[in-house]
Amino acid sequence: MKLPKIFLSFLFLLFISCNGQQKEIKKMEPKEFSEKLQSENQPQLIDVRSPKEFSDQHLDNAKNINWNGDDFEQKVVELDKSKPIYVYCLSGGRSSSASKKLAEMGFKEIYEMDGGIVKWNASGLAKKSNKTIGMTLAEYEKLLVSDKKILINFYADWCAPCVKMKPYITKMQKDLKNVTIIRLDADANKTLLTELKIEELPTLLLYENKEVKWKHSGFISEEDLTKKL
């Protein structure tokens, strides 16, 4: 049986309408993210980190709405869902979760900065500052003076892969005799992350005679890490 033309036309319009309402989350490299922001007139830019992180450093004209705060949804509701919204955090974990929530709440055009502030700084986009947060590069280089191999583990307490890796890395710190393992909190050493161009967490750097022999970003199993050491 042939369907009436009016009914077919209705289905076609419904299909177009549904596709037009589809929410999109687009990840952007920091440079592209910056250029997109500059092309907007008064962009909706939210920093979903904690107030302390925000006070230490944030992008110009960003509004701090803490993803882990109790009032995240309440504050987001005040924003304009018909306009693009730009989201970032420290390294990408919280902004990814926040972007998904924004899509659920009806925001249709969402731009997320890949790698967050960590990658922003490593890309050379941060404003120059004389303020040092945490260890200096000179102090870091002193840690590398050793006859043993040195494994530096940059981590953060909120980073899921970091938390998963912590038990066996701390165990290796005690058990391995040929390698000195040093864990450095990324949040407490932001200047160092910028100097070393660390773009992701966790990041592992293996040194021999003060030279990097191996670098890994992201999760790595205990078995694979042991093989590298």
Side-chain angles (χ1 to χ4, degrees):
M1 182 179 70
K2 292 185 177 180
L3 294 173
K5 288 185 178 180
I6 294 177
F7 182 67
L8 290 173
S9 298
F10 171 76
L11 288 177
F12 178 71
L13 290 172
L14 182 63
F15 174 79
I16 293 175
S17 175
C18 289
N19 277 276
Q21 296 298 316
Q22 187 176 12
K23 290 97 176 178
E24 180 184 2
I25 300 172
K26 183 176 181 181
K27 276 197 174 185
M28 288 182 159
E29 290 295 315
K31 185 178 179 182
E32 184 185 8
F33 190 83
S34 175
E35 291 171 350
K36 182 69 175 171
L37 279 174
Q38 291 173 27
S39 71
E40 292 274 1
N41 181 28
Q42 296 182 327
Q44 294 189 120
L45 172 64
I46 62 171
D47 180 324
V48 298
R49 299 174 300 157
S50 68
K52 173 63 171 63
E53 292 173 286
F54 183 81
S55 67
D56 286 340
Q57 179 193 0
H58 60 267
L59 273 58
D60 289 344
N61 303 313
K63 182 176 183 178
N64 185 210
I65 304 181
N66 186 4
W67 167 246
N68 291 321
D70 296 332
D71 56 354
F72 178 81
E73 291 188 43
Q74 181 182 341
K75 288 185 175 180
V76 163
V77 166
E78 299 172 3
L79 302 176
D80 190 342
K81 294 180 182 179
S82 68
K83 294 181 179 179
I85 186 165
Y86 298 82
V87 190
Y88 72 92
C89 65
L90 182 64
S91 67
R94 285 169 287 181
S95 62
S96 177
S97 298
S99 294
K100 291 173 184 175
K101 173 57 70 174
L102 290 169
E104 290 176 10
M105 294 176 69
F107 288 85
K108 299 175 179 63
E109 194 175 348
I110 304 162
Y111 296 96
E112 180 192 352
M113 182 164 70
D114 186 42
I117 283 289
V118 170
K119 203 166 186 178
W120 174 274
N121 291 343
S123 300
L125 295 169
K127 292 180 179 179
K128 291 185 178 180
S129 172
N130 294 323
K131 182 181 178 182
T132 299
I133 300 175
M135 189 180 295
T136 65
L137 186 59
E139 291 169 332
Y140 177 78
E141 289 175 344
K142 288 180 181 178
L143 297 177
L144 308 179
V145 180
S146 175
D147 294 332
K148 297 181 180 180
K149 295 178 183 178
I150 304 287
L151 179 69
I152 305 292
N153 170 212
F154 285 98
Y155 73 95
D157 290 333
W158 47 261
C159 164
C162 301
V163 173
K164 190 173 182 180
M165 291 163 58
K166 180 180 177 180
Y168 52 83
I169 288 183
T170 52
K171 184 176 183 297
M172 288 177 180
Q173 279 182 305
K174 299 175 183 177
D175 295 346
L176 294 180
K177 305 302 180 184
N178 63 322
V179 182
T180 298
I181 299 177
I182 301 170
R183 301 182 74 242
L184 294 177
D185 186 341
D187 287 332
N189 293 283
K190 293 178 181 177
T191 300
L192 194 55
L193 261 67
T194 301
E195 294 276 2
L196 297 175
K197 299 188 183 303
I198 303 294
E199 296 185 349
E200 298 178 50
L201 295 177
T203 286
L204 298 166
L205 296 167
L206 182 63
Y207 289 87
E208 284 187 62
N209 299 318
K210 298 178 69 174
E211 292 186 5
V212 177
K213 296 298 182 181
W214 175 71
K215 179 179 179 180
H216 179 84
S217 294
F219 177 79
I220 184 171
S221 68
E222 181 177 5
E223 181 182 359
D224 289 340
L225 179 56
T226 302
K227 289 177 182 177
K228 287 294 181 182
L229 301 179

